[in-house]
Structures are given as structure tokens and as C-alpha cells.
Amino acid sequence: METLWFVLVALMLAAYALFDGFDLGAGALHLFVARGEEERRMLLQSIGPVWDGNEVWLLAAGGTLFYAFPLLYASSFSGFYLPLHMVVWLLVFRALGIEFRMRLDSKIWRDFFDTSFGIASILLIIVFGAALGNVMRGVPLGADHYFFAPLWTDFQPGANAGVLDWYTVLCGVVTLVATVMHGALYVITKTEGALNQRMRAAALRLWPAQVVLTVAAVPVTVLVRPSLLDNYKAAAIGWLIPVLVAASLAGIFYFTRARQERNAFLSSCLYVVSTLVGAAFALYPTLLPSTLDPDSAITIRNAAAGAHSLSAGLAWWGVGMAIACAYVIVIYTMFKGKVRAGYGEH
């Protein structure tokens, strides 16, 4: 049952990265690729009906994590107190940027909230990437399974590393490039004309960086925590995951060049999901490694709720996910197709 809940939490986090990833990526491109008021309106119209619903997956994943693995939830929220506050404020400013930009007919007003939306999106992506880097690297967990991580120390991974070091910053950069690519490919599927062409050009320019960073991240991650290869050595099926990552990168390039917009975006979806599945496969059964003592790590065994709670919660989780999936299908069906330039609300 603990393994099942581990898989469910991992899939929900992957769903958040998949859905909210493209509108975070679109937000990162908002200031730099969309030119003029008309193109910025088009970009916002492409994500406007779905961006707030996409964030529900983050709340659902957090709630599921609290229910299934309460120790991990408590430990993470105490140790990552400052980064979590940063995430909350960035989510707030990003939402304000989307919702408030059209409330006054003033260029200064719109520019301020466009900047809030763009900068908050970029920083959120980097923070989320650094958070994944912390999970892969480990944190200074004590015997009581609690820790405190300063924002940075000497910028080196190790027993007393902070939230930011060269490895977690690298993870943030990899995540930024991959998410911006994901956002560009989504906007391409929703727009036409000059914005579509500029997004396509941006995606093709980003692709070499995404390949180089993806390839470089693998040996660097193994260098920081060699034990992450153990599951791959024990189960040969795990090597299918890097094959899927490589195929998704090839698909992104080929389909973007061939102007097969939907297939290019689906290839990016495969990249996001397979990368996160690869990370989860490497970590299992550990939820949060310890840089001080491997025996102090938080695992699915010592962090799980009671057996009855996990069994009973599975039924309610199924009902909730059925409703959420139905909502996603309805919304994305209602707003399918290209957006058109106009003066309406996003």
C-alpha cells in the first residue's frame, strides 16, 4: 500500500509539472517573445481558461502527500520554511499579474503586471527545479527526521549544504529550459501568425540547450548521490526511462521542424513525465534522503500513515481524481483550437 501511494503522489506531481508547466513556461516567455499588446493578449488567452485549474494539481498533490506520508509533509514544511514562503508569494504575484493587468487602461499599469507575471513565472520554475535538486541530493536530516536548511552556505553539496548550491542551481536551470520549451510548444498549438513563428524559433533555439543540460544532469546527479543508480542496476526495466527521454527530445526537434504542432507538444509532455518518473524510480523507496546519516532518511515505510487510513483513503482519492480528470477533459475540450487576437478578457 505504501508503494501504491508513492506512485500516486509521484503521478500527481508529474501531472502538476505537465499541466502547470506549460503556463509557467508561457509566463516566462511573456516578456521576451510576445511583442506588443496584441501578442501578449493572445498569449494570455492561450492559457487564460486553464491556468488556475492547472494549479489545483499542486494543491491536490500536497494534500495527498499530507494524507499518505504526514512525516514527510511535516519535515519538509519545517526545513524548507523560507523557500515555501517564496513559492507562495511568487504564486500570488503571478496570479495578480494575470488577473489585474486589464483593470486599468494604462500602459504603466499593464507593464507593471506583465513584469510581475513574467518574473514570478521564471523564479517559480527555478525554485521548483531547485526543490527537486534538494530531494535528489538529500538534506541534513537528523535522527528525529527534522532539519533546517539555510538558503545557502558554501554553495557546495555536502552534509551541511543549503537550499542553493551549484547542483540545485543546475537543476533549476535545467527545469527552466525544459519548462520554457514546454510552454513555447503549447503556445504554438494555440496561436497563429507572427507569435506562432516566433515561439517556434524560440523552441528550436532552446532545443540544443535542453539536450546538453539533460545529458549533463545525469552524471552530475550520480556524482552527487551515487546510490540513485541502485534501482537501475537492480531492475533492468528502469533503463527504458532514459530511452523515453531521448525519444521525446528527438520528437520535439523533428515535429517542431515539421510543423506538427500537437505531436511536438506531446513529445514535450513525454519528456516532462519520463524525466520525473526517472527521478521517482531512482529515489524509491526513499522520499527524502539524508546527507548526514542514510538511516535517518525519510522513506515510504517510516513516513506512511496507518494501514487502515491508506486503504480507506484510496477510495476517496479515486472519487476526487475522477472529478478532477472529468473537469480537465471538459475544460480543455471547451477551449480547444486556436485563439484569435481581440480585446476581450483573457
Side-chain angles (χ1 to χ4, degrees), residues 56-76:
V56 169
W57 289 100
L58 179 62
L59 299 175
T64 304
L65 190 67
F66 173 72
Y67 182 85
F69 303 109
L71 175 61
L72 174 64
Y73 188 90
S75 178
S76 298

Side-chain angles (χ1 to χ4, degrees), residues 22-345:
F22 69 71
D23 60 61
L24 282 169
L29 292 165
H30 183 67
L31 293 176
F32 306 105
V33 179
R35 297 177 182 174
E37 178 62 15
E38 182 177 287
E39 289 192 356
R40 288 183 178 179
R41 281 177 178 270
M42 288 179 65
L43 188 146
L44 287 171
Q45 286 172 343
S46 71
I47 66 171
V50 297
W51 73 270
D52 48 354
N54 291 341
E55 292 186 348
V56 169
W57 289 100
L58 179 62
L59 299 175
T64 304
L65 190 67
F66 173 72
Y67 182 85
F69 303 109
L71 175 61
L72 174 64
Y73 188 90
S75 178
S76 298
F77 271 69
S78 63
F80 293 131
Y81 187 80
L82 178 57
L84 287 167
H85 273 264
M86 293 168 63
V87 167
V88 170
W89 280 106
L90 290 170
L91 287 170
V92 167
F93 274 98
R94 182 168 176 269
L96 291 177
I98 297 175
E99 297 291 345
F100 278 24
R101 76 179 302 271
M102 295 304 299
R103 299 308 179 193
L104 287 180
D105 186 15
S106 166
K107 186 177 185 305
I108 295 176
W109 176 276
R110 288 195 300 270
D111 287 348
F112 173 79
F113 285 106
D114 280 341
T115 303
S116 295
F117 174 52
I119 298 302
S121 297
I122 292 171
L123 292 178
L124 264 174
I125 297 168
I126 294 173
V127 170
F128 284 141
L132 177 61
N134 274 267
V135 174
M136 303 301 289
R137 180 203 64 195
V139 296
L141 285 166
D144 59 356
H145 301 302
Y146 284 88
F147 70 100
F148 170 75
L151 198 56
W152 67 78
T153 53
D154 57 1
F155 241 69
Q156 296 294 320
N160 295 306
V163 174
L164 298 177
D165 57 35
W166 64 261
Y167 173 70
T168 58
V169 170
L170 173 63
C171 291
V173 173
V174 174
T175 306
L176 178 63
V177 172
T179 306
V180 170
M181 171 71 83
H182 194 50
L185 294 174
Y186 176 79
V187 176
I188 289 171
T189 67
K190 300 294 290 183
T191 60
E192 296 174 330
L195 181 59
N196 178 289
Q197 295 174 11
R198 208 172 294 116
M199 285 291 178
R200 191 185 311 278
L204 290 173
R205 286 195 297 267
L206 283 168
W207 185 82
Q210 186 175 7
V211 172
V212 170
L213 288 170
T214 301
V215 172
V218 175
V220 169
T221 299
V222 174
L223 176 66
V224 170
R225 181 162 289 278
S227 61
L228 291 173
L229 273 182
D230 291 349
N231 287 341
Y232 287 91
K233 295 176 181 178
I237 193 173
W239 295 105
L240 178 62
I241 298 172
V243 173
L244 292 176
V245 173
S248 65
L249 288 170
I252 289 171
F253 181 77
Y254 174 79
F255 292 124
T256 303
R257 287 288 300 271
R259 296 182 178 272
Q260 298 183 31
E261 300 172 349
R262 179 175 296 181
N263 289 338
F265 177 66
L266 291 177
S267 296
S268 181
C269 293
L270 177 61
Y271 174 86
V272 171
V273 173
S274 57
T275 301
L276 292 176
V277 168
F281 184 83
L283 284 167
Y284 178 85
T286 303
L287 295 169
L288 190 61
S290 172
T291 58
L292 299 177
D293 178 11
D295 293 334
S296 297
I298 296 177
T299 70
I300 62 172
R301 312 297 181 203
N302 59 28
H308 176 72
S309 296
L310 294 180
S311 299
L314 193 59
W316 290 106
W317 182 90
V319 172
M321 285 302 100
I323 295 172
C325 291
Y327 169 83
V328 168
I329 293 171
V330 169
I331 292 298
Y332 280 85
T333 301
M334 288 176 59
F335 294 100
K336 66 180 180 180
K338 302 279 188 178
V339 299
R340 299 291 185 269
Y343 295 96
E345 291 285 349

